[in-house]
Amino acid sequence: MAKTPPLFDINPPLINSACPWATTLDDLRRLYACPSTGAVTTRTSMIHGFDHDPAKHQFVFFDAARAAAHASSSSPNASVNSLGYSPLPLATYLDFVQTISNELPASQPATKGFIVSVTGSPEDVAASYTLLATAAPRLRFPLAMEINLSCPNIPGRPPPAYERDALETYLAPLRRAIAEAHAADDATPIPVGLKTPPYTYATQFLALLDALEGATQAAAVSAAAAAAADGGGEERGVCPVSFITATNTLGNCLLFAFPDPSSSTDAIVPALPRGPDTSLGTGGMAGAPLHPLALGNVATLRWLLDERARVLGRRLAVVGVGGVADAAGYRRMREAGADVVGLATGLGLRGVEVFGEVEAGLEGRW
């Protein structure tokens, strides 16, 4: 009999998204202790870690109204980064998550879980799922996996989520890993999501939906074969993906710095040096300028996913990320169709307290 992938259910529907401020064990402890969030997302990791170079993998905050980084600016609301992924390998994050699970008092309910963000080759991502599904039974709280297919800062590796063929190379081995987890005695199948880049035209959205439909059709073929082998009836296919996170940062953005506002001398902001290994000094933009584009992505995805829910065999959740820093931004993202809202730049600017500020602005109404 076909196994339905787990649902993605976060309550309260407010989380941090994968970002530099979710890198260390102390970062994750602070985020987990925050009562205003429903889950914690780790920084994106790879099985063998990422070759982080602090000279070129950096970030900077800026004031979107000026479109420049000023040393004297007191109201930054956006960021540009040339970061890749976490230098810590996936195994380290599994240790962190296990540590936090072990530290929970026996009397404390453990409904708040972790979303482990991963990336790498299609084979590495499938292996990451197997590692997480095997770790899940040892944890007191729920676990999910988010596949980051959208980082704009990796030279020579365009985000796979822009193209159907590239997406399909990830979904096929992932589907097999999920089926194996369902059949294993020592694993617990967990929800899986895809983190997408900012889409700017219809073909990009349709490529994602076509890839999801293809994975669903492949699941249907496998389910039918298994049902026939067991002498059962026809089984329908179910999309192996449980949620979509939209969006990641907008790539190829350039920021200038004015160390002295009275000076006429411009300088490339030190966080984004020029060079062939750093995409000519450009990076991914997040925060307030990304907000309208993120809202448009969430609204479009929600409509398309609902329209194709029967074909996909389920309703996929949408995590809305991009420029949310207060209750008003949270409400806009929910109105656009987000089931869960994520913050990154706001977390970097104001710390974990930003989540309580959002909650307070909602007056207890999620």
Side-chain angles (χ1 to χ4, degrees), residues 28-265:
L28 300 180
R29 280 178 170 142
R30 282 191 291 269
L31 288 163
Y32 194 83
C34 176
S36 301
T37 58
V40 175
T41 308
T42 68
R43 186 175 179 182
T44 302
S45 63
M46 307 175 73
I47 284 185
H48 302 295
F50 178 76
D51 186 14
H52 176 81
D53 181 351
K56 60 185 179 183
H57 297 127
Q58 302 180 16
F59 67 88
V60 65
F61 297 117
F62 70 99
D63 180 351
R66 298 171 183 255
H70 289 257
S72 61
S73 175
S74 60
S75 58
N77 59 359
S79 63
V80 172
N81 81 79
S82 56
L83 297 168
Y85 309 115
S86 176
L88 305 178
L90 175 60
T92 299
Y93 284 100
L94 290 177
D95 288 342
F96 288 168
V97 171
Q98 185 68 62
T99 296
I100 293 172
S101 175
N102 294 343
E103 290 172 346
L104 290 176
S107 59
Q108 180 177 333
T111 56
K112 178 176 180 175
F114 273 83
I115 304 165
V116 180
S117 179
V118 305
T119 195
S121 68
E123 294 74 21
D124 282 352
V125 166
S128 297
Y129 179 89
T130 300
L131 288 171
L132 289 170
T134 303
R138 302 191 296 270
L139 300 173
R140 289 189 54 204
F141 42 60
L143 199 62
M145 183 176 89
E146 177 185 86
I147 308 171
N148 186 343
L149 299 180
S150 49
C151 179
N153 298 328
I154 310 301
R157 297 181 184 178
Y162 276 123
E163 299 179 355
R164 173 180 174 167
D165 289 349
L167 280 166
E168 288 180 339
T169 64
Y170 280 86
L171 291 173
L174 174 66
R175 183 175 54 79
R176 290 192 292 270
I178 292 173
E180 290 169 0
H182 275 290
D185 294 331
D186 61 345
T188 299
I190 61 175
V192 177
L194 304 180
K195 187 171 187 179
T196 58
Y199 294 143
T200 57
Y201 55 91
T203 307
Q204 295 169 325
F205 291 99
L206 296 178
L208 171 66
L209 268 295
D210 288 348
L212 294 175
E213 286 188 7
T216 305
Q217 292 167 0
V221 171
S222 297
D230 293 339
E234 182 179 353
E235 292 284 348
R236 66 185 181 92
V238 179
C239 182
V241 173
S242 298
F243 65 98
I244 303 294
T245 300
T247 70
N248 207 325
T249 58
L250 181 64
N252 203 42
C253 292
L254 179 64
L255 190 66
F256 287 83
F258 299 83
D260 180 358
S262 64
S263 171
S264 61
T265 302

Side-chain angles (χ1 to χ4, degrees), residues 265-350:
T265 302
D266 301 355
I268 299 292
V269 66
L272 299 173
R274 289 184 180 272
D277 294 331
T278 55
S279 301
L280 299 178
T282 61
M285 181 182 66
L290 185 63
H291 192 54
L293 182 56
L295 290 173
N297 271 246
V298 168
T300 301
L301 284 169
R302 181 71 279 154
W303 182 81
L304 287 171
L305 290 169
D306 287 348
E307 183 187 47
R308 302 195 187 189
R310 287 180 61 85
V311 176
L312 297 174
R314 67 187 310 184
R315 181 186 184 275
L316 274 65
V318 175
V319 180
V321 180
V324 175
D326 54 24
Y330 173 93
R331 285 193 293 266
R332 285 190 293 269
M333 195 62 82
R334 292 279 278 174
E335 183 66 23
D339 299 279
V340 179
V341 178
L343 310 185
T345 298
L347 170 62
L349 284 168
R350 304 213 294 275

